[in-house]
């Protein structure tokens, strides 16, 4: 009933596979389908595979994915009853990238911001070792544009983390208005993106599904690829994904020998 969709690289360059993960509440977190490509056709192949096993594409009620137009078109065409939740981890990544763009633009007038990228990207509630913590307190006291961008990102994260289905959309509207008035172009663009994809963004407050599990699975896929020094074909890679992450029952049933007369 609930599916996570994400892509991971098969080789250097723009060579990807799509990975579909079962996110249904009563099911184990596992890969149920993988195929070459990251377009609408990948969703079509998934729907066909689901029917062949046998499943029903119309029983999929929720899909979590990024804002890829190809995936969105595929879900609309081949999973007709699925509501789309945009992955909040991708949204927070955009907010983090926006902070770094602001920081890079501000470095020219505030050299203290050099080599502080990862300090600004850390979650506010995560502690820091003494050395980085002292550096963090120093740059945060600058109260410049980067600090304002960081405050916007931190509040956005709190909204996604703690808001109820009733409060979430209203608070997110207020956040978008705040970001639009911030005069920080990268953060303004984040607000515009959220508004363009509003239904999928606020669906999070109802579904509470995100692709964190899928991202972890992608990490395991990349680890397997490195151990094998790469795979000769995409078919071999997909076979290994099923073996490692499909949670398949590969036990051979024992056979009791017939008694000797």
């Amino acid at each position: 009933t609930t599916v996570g969709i994400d892509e991971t690289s098969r080789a250097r360059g723009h060579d990807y596979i799509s990975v579909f993960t079962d996110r249904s509440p009563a099911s184990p977190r596992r890969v149920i389908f993988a195929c070459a490509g990251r377009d609408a056709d990948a969703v079509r192949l998934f729907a066909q595979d689901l029917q062949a096993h046998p499943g029903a594409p119309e029983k999929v009620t929720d899909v979590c994915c990024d804002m890829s137009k190809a995936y969105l078109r595929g879900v609309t065409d081949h999973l007709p009853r699925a509501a789309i939740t945009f992955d909040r981890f991708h949204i927070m990544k955009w907010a983090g990238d926006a902070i770094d763009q602001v920081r890079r633009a501000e470095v020219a007038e505030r050299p203290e911001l050099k080599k502080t990228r990862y300090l600004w990207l850390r979650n506010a509630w995560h502690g820091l070792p003494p050395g980085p913590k002292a550096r963090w307190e120093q740059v945060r006291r600058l109260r410049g544009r980067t600090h304002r961008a960081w405050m916007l990102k931190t509040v956005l994260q709190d909204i996604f983390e703690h808001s109820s289905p009733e409060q979430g959309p209203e608070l997110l509207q207020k956040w978008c208005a705040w970001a639009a008035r911030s005069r920080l172009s990268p953060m303004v663009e984040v607000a515009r993106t959220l508004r363009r994809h509003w239904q999928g963004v606020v669906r999070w407050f109802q579904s509470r599904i995100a692709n964190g599990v899928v991202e972890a699975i992608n990490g395991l896929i990349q680890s397997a690829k490195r151990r094998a020094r790469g795979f000769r074909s995409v078919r071999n890679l997909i076979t290994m994904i099923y073996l490692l992450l499909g949670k398949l029952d590969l036990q051979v049933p024992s056979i009791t020998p017939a008694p000797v007369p």
Side-chain angles (χ1 to χ4, degrees):
T1 60
T2 305
V3 176
I5 308 174
D6 203 2
E7 77 273 359
T8 191
S9 63
R10 183 181 81 84
R12 289 184 178 180
H14 299 285
D15 194 354
Y16 292 90
I17 60 172
S18 292
V19 179
F20 294 75
T21 307
D22 186 0
R23 302 297 313 282
S24 304
S27 302
R29 302 296 191 258
R30 60 188 179 124
V31 173
I32 51 176
F33 185 69
C35 66
R38 53 171 180 173
D39 51 17
D41 200 50
V43 185
R44 178 184 65 82
L45 293 174
F46 166 68
Q48 291 178 350
D49 186 78
L50 195 61
Q51 288 177 312
H53 275 90
E58 61 271 14
K59 290 186 178 180
V60 177
T61 58
D62 283 281
V63 169
C64 183
C65 62
D66 59 24
M67 294 180 186
S68 161
K69 292 181 180 179
Y71 282 152
L72 299 182
R73 186 170 67 253
V75 171
T76 302
D77 292 345
H78 304 292
L79 302 174
R81 297 188 180 179
I84 295 172
T85 299
F86 290 128
D87 182 20
R88 75 182 182 110
F89 290 101
H90 281 88
I91 295 172
M92 296 313 305
K93 182 179 182 301
W94 291 338
D97 291 343
I99 291 176
D100 198 51
Q101 290 176 46
V102 175
R103 182 191 67 85
R104 287 172 182 270
E106 196 177 11
V107 160
E109 56 194 77
R110 293 180 183 267
E112 303 95 325
L113 293 172
K114 288 182 179 179
K115 299 181 180 180
T116 61
R117 176 186 179 187
Y118 293 104
L119 294 177
W120 298 105
L121 296 182
R122 290 183 67 93
N123 289 336
W125 51 80
H126 287 176
L128 285 168
K133 184 176 182 180
R135 176 77 167 131
W136 165 240
E137 293 297 335
Q138 176 190 3
V139 297
R140 194 171 64 164
R141 282 196 295 268
L142 296 174
R143 303 298 185 194
R145 295 191 299 275
T146 306
H147 183 262
R148 287 197 287 123
W150 174 81
M151 289 178 63
L152 278 160
K153 181 250 187 183
T154 301
V155 172
L156 180 63
Q157 191 167 25
D158 284 344
I159 290 171
F160 279 119
E161 189 70 27
H162 302 296
S163 298
S164 67
E166 295 76 26
Q167 294 174 322
E170 180 183 354
L171 292 174
L172 199 57
Q173 282 278 22
K174 292 180 179 179
W175 185 91
C176 288
W178 178 25
R181 296 192 305 268
S182 69
R183 293 179 294 175
L184 302 172
S185 298
M187 301 306 294
V188 172
E189 184 56 35
V190 172
R192 287 174 179 166
T193 302
L194 295 182
R195 284 171 167 164
R196 282 198 302 268
H197 301 278
W198 186 254
Q199 292 303 319
V201 172
V202 298
R203 175 68 182 169
W204 153 259
F205 300 108
Q206 298 287 339
S207 66
R208 294 285 173 174
I209 57 172
N211 271 354
V213 171
V214 181
E215 297 292 344
I217 285 174
N218 286 349
L220 294 173
I221 293 171
Q222 294 302 316
S223 177
K225 192 176 70 175
R226 287 192 296 270
R227 287 200 306 270
R229 303 295 191 272
F231 290 90
R232 188 177 296 274
S233 69
V234 67
R235 180 179 179 181
N236 291 350
L237 173 58
I238 290 173
T239 300
M240 185 57 68
I241 290 171
Y242 288 145
L243 288 172
L244 291 175
L245 302 166
K247 298 190 178 179
L248 305 174
D249 183 4
L250 300 177
Q251 293 184 357
V252 178
S254 59
I255 299 175
T256 304
V260 178

